[in-house]
């Protein structure tokens, strides 16, 4: 079963998304979080080494999917992947999914035992699902 | 939980258009292609289909957590399974997708038309009915 890492500029946002995702996964999926720049959660930003630690915490050979909020979170996640040993890097994936919807969908499908690429595909499909029925 | 089961629900047929008509052998309207005396359904359809209307009983409607349980159950079956919210007149969505399921915006008392098509369609509908 794959692991997930939630990356956000805000530790509180990462914790909140983690809470939602954990409920969807029913406790069956390892979900890490890397939010903010400091442990007290006061400084906003993303940091590659914090993301790297979160990947290590949830590591599993089935792979790890990273979900980022926006902007430099993507850059920091890329840097974290570069810091990984090769055999791990190729089993990590940065998702293009929107953070909240993507985390919810990914957690649910990861808990169903789906592989990394499949979980990412269904999470990224969230981009084309309008929130309001009939919109879009 | 209340539900009305039907093999060829006219409402569902209207909602889902021609495809639903073909799958379920919709009858009971003036345009039925079946001559009098013909059985409404073949005895052994290649692709079993089954539909049912359920009423949402949860006071908070179909929310994230109950939606998760629906997707979990639906994902166990090979059949393709759709749901439409008759109370909001929505189109049918894939019941194996949590985000599409949430698009139904189903409140307590709303009627959902569930339709399954595939070898285990019957079992899928039976299992899903107990969740509403």
């Amino acid at each position: 079963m794959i692991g997930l890492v939630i990356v956000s500029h805000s530790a509180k946002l990462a914790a909140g998304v983690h809470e939602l995702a954990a409920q969807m996964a029913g406790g069956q999926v390892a979900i890490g979080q890397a939010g903010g720049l400091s442990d007290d959660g006061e400084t906003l930003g993303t940091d590659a080494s914090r993301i790297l630690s979160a990947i290590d915490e949830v590591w599993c050979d089935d792979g790890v999917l990273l979900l980022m909020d926006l902007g430099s979170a993507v850059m920091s996640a890329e840097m974290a992947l570069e810091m990984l040993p090769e055999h791990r890097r190729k089993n990590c994936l940065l998702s293009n999914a929107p953070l909240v919807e993507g985390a919810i969908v990914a957690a649910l499908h990861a808990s169903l035992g789906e592989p990394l690429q499949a979980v990412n595909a269904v999470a990224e499909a969230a981009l084309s699902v309008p929130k309001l029925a009939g919109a879009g | 939980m209340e539900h009305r089961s039907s093999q060829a629900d006219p409402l569902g047929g209207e909602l889902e258009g021609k495809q639903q008509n073909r799958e379920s052998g919709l009858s009971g309207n003036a345009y039925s292609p079946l001559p009098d005396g013909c059985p409404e359904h073949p005895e052994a359809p290649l692709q079993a289909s089954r539909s049912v209307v359920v009423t949402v009983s949860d006071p908070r409607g179909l929310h994230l957590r109950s939606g998760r349980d629906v997707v979990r159950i639906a994902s166990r079956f090979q059949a393709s399974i759709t749901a439409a919210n008759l109370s909001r007149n929505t189109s049918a969505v894939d019941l194996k997708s949590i985000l599409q399921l949430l698009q139904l915006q189903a409140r307590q008392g709303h009627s959902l038309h569930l339709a399954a098509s595939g070898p285990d369609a019957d079992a899928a509908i039976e299992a899903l009915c107990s969740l509403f």
Side-chain angles (χ1 to χ4, degrees):
Chain A
M1 189 170 290
I2 71 162
L4 304 177
V5 170
I6 311 296
V7 181
S8 170
H9 283 68
S10 155
K12 288 174 186 165
L13 180 55
V17 173
H18 180 279
E19 184 182 21
L20 282 169
Q23 183 155 88
M24 298 310 285
Q28 296 175 57
V29 179
I31 306 174
Q33 49 183 304
L37 284 179
S38 57
D39 285 330
D40 61 15
E42 293 299 315
T43 315
L44 300 179
T46 55
D47 175 70
S49 61
R50 293 172 71 84
I51 299 171
L52 186 64
S53 302
I55 295 172
D56 284 338
E57 273 172 34
V58 301
W59 182 258
C60 153
D61 287 338
D62 290 333
V64 172
L65 185 65
L66 287 87
L67 295 130
M68 299 74 68
D69 57 5
L70 76 175
S72 57
V74 177
M75 211 159 42
S76 299
E78 280 174 352
M79 288 165 64
L81 258 53
E82 287 163 13
M83 293 153 80
L84 281 171
E86 172 66 25
H87 68 283
R88 284 199 170 188
R89 191 184 314 142
K90 64 182 190 330
N91 279 328
C92 281
L93 202 54
L94 303 183
S95 180
N96 194 39
L99 184 63
V100 176
E101 287 89 341
I104 283 169
V105 170
L108 177 51
H109 285 264
S111 77
L112 297 174
E114 296 177 14
L116 183 62
Q117 298 286 349
V119 171
N120 184 46
V122 71
E124 290 186 347
L127 286 168
S128 59
V129 180
K131 194 165 296 183
L132 303 180
Chain B
M1 191 269 299
E2 355 161 356
H3 64 266
R4 313 188 291 276
S5 186
S6 75
Q7 290 286 328
D9 178 39
L11 266 175
E14 278 169 23
L15 271 170
E16 290 164 34
K18 287 180 183 167
Q19 192 185 357
Q20 169 75 14
N21 294 358
R22 189 174 65 244
E23 283 168 8
S24 63
L26 181 69
S27 64
N29 65 42
Y31 304 102
S32 172
L34 294 171
D36 288 341
C38 270
E40 286 185 11
H41 306 284
E43 287 305 313
L46 288 174
Q47 190 78 329
S49 64
R50 169 97 184 268
S51 68
V52 69
V53 175
V54 297
T55 303
V56 177
S57 60
D58 192 319
R60 288 185 299 140
L62 189 54
H63 49 86
L64 200 51
R65 211 160 349 107
S66 53
R68 171 198 68 187
D69 296 336
V70 169
V71 173
R72 273 187 195 283
I73 298 295
S75 297
R76 292 182 190 159
F77 297 94
Q78 258 184 278
S80 66
I81 310 169
T82 63
N85 187 342
L86 302 178
S87 305
R88 286 189 187 270
N89 203 23
T90 70
S91 53
V93 302
D94 181 0
L95 211 58
K96 295 179 186 178
S97 161
I98 181 69
L99 296 182
Q100 289 191 36
L101 185 57
L102 294 173
Q103 279 186 316
L104 296 175
Q105 300 291 352
R107 298 188 186 185
Q108 183 181 33
H110 279 187
S111 296
L112 305 183
H113 177 256
L114 311 183
S117 175
D120 49 7
D122 274 335
I125 291 296
E126 295 296 333
L128 288 166
C129 277
S130 63
L131 297 176
F132 291 91

